Amino acid sequence: MVVWTDFERSTIQDIFSKMDYEVVGPAALTRCLIVYPWTQRYFGNFGNLYNAAAIMGNPMVAKHGTTILHGLDRGVKNMDDLKTTYAELSVLHSEKLHVDPDNFKLLSDCLTIVVAARFGEAFTAEVQAAFQKFLAVVVSSLGRQYH
Amino acid sequence: MSLTDKDKATVKAVWAKISKSADAIGADALSRMLVVYPQTKTYFSHWPDLGPNSASVKNHGKNVMGGIALAVSKIDDLTAGLLELSEQHAFQLRVDPANFKILSHCILVVIAGLFPKDFTPEAHVAVDKFFCGVSLALAERYR
């Protein structure tokens, strides 16, 4: 059972409430596909991913980035039961999508950097710690149903 | 995943932009690391103060960025260029190399926060590759 301090809870709610999912999601996913190009293996049917410009202009990537952020939003609204919240998505990523769970960490790191860029000074060490803790628990939940 | 000429040029360009703030970047990255990854505090039990305003933290952040500056200047042969630092980390400091990745991530977060427009995905991948190279060179003498 994850224990959240009041600071962590309010920080997570605050960050996500200030985020434009349709900007941050695509920014994080495109960054992941560019910085860790082997992650492109999961997006064979997304069309043109040949270079950074193509990735950044790809509408399927953008749409999927937004989908991912909405997936995180579910966690934000269910912080006390992330295991159950992500059980189905975990099965999906394992059985159907066959995503190596190490990739979840890569995407988390890119999301952290995108959020740091947007929030600037407000993204203090304590805020970063809370944010990364939340992402780490989500990542762990997503990996739980793999076998 | 070795550095291409384009990577090296990108790293040098990024460094040119951020080097004036190197001390501040180092201090922030280090103090962030101590908060976000508390296990890293185990290496600094000899410091009286681990807070962000600590003189020890600020000074050490400066040292770390001095090492990065050296690495930028030796970007064509990081292993040779960082040999002395590698020996220091291997035989005296004995920092587990997994922590190089942790500190690298914190430095990237600080750069992104201070230079959001410049830290494009293309800049990010080049600098990330560079930090991986630096980490590898630092671990060279470990065993």
PDB file of all heavy atoms in Angstrom, chain B residues 13 49 110:
ATOM      1  N   ALA B  13      27.185  23.188 -28.490  1.00  0.00           N
ATOM      2  CA  ALA B  13      26.296  24.347 -28.617  1.00  0.00           C
ATOM      3  C   ALA B  13      25.477  24.528 -27.333  1.00  0.00           C
ATOM      4  O   ALA B  13      25.318  25.647 -26.834  1.00  0.00           O
ATOM      5  CB  ALA B  13      25.369  24.174 -29.815  1.00  0.00           C
ATOM      6  N   ASP B  49      25.296  19.677   6.400  1.00  0.00           N
ATOM      7  CA  ASP B  49      24.039  20.212   5.865  1.00  0.00           C
ATOM      8  C   ASP B  49      23.836  19.715   4.436  1.00  0.00           C
ATOM      9  O   ASP B  49      24.695  19.917   3.584  1.00  0.00           O
ATOM     10  CB  ASP B  49      24.109  21.749   5.911  1.00  0.00           C
ATOM     11  CG  ASP B  49      22.854  22.402   5.342  1.00  0.00           C
ATOM     12  OD1 ASP B  49      21.853  21.705   5.067  1.00  0.00           O
ATOM     13  OD2 ASP B  49      22.870  23.642   5.193  1.00  0.00           O
ATOM     14  N   VAL B 110      17.149  19.966 -14.595  1.00  0.00           N
ATOM     15  CA  VAL B 110      17.490  21.364 -14.293  1.00  0.00           C
ATOM     16  C   VAL B 110      17.681  22.156 -15.587  1.00  0.00           C
ATOM     17  O   VAL B 110      17.182  23.278 -15.726  1.00  0.00           O
ATOM     18  CB  VAL B 110      18.761  21.440 -13.419  1.00  0.00           C
ATOM     19  CG1 VAL B 110      19.234  22.872 -13.272  1.00  0.00           C
ATOM     20  CG2 VAL B 110      18.481  20.850 -12.050  1.00  0.00           C
TER      21      VAL B 110
END
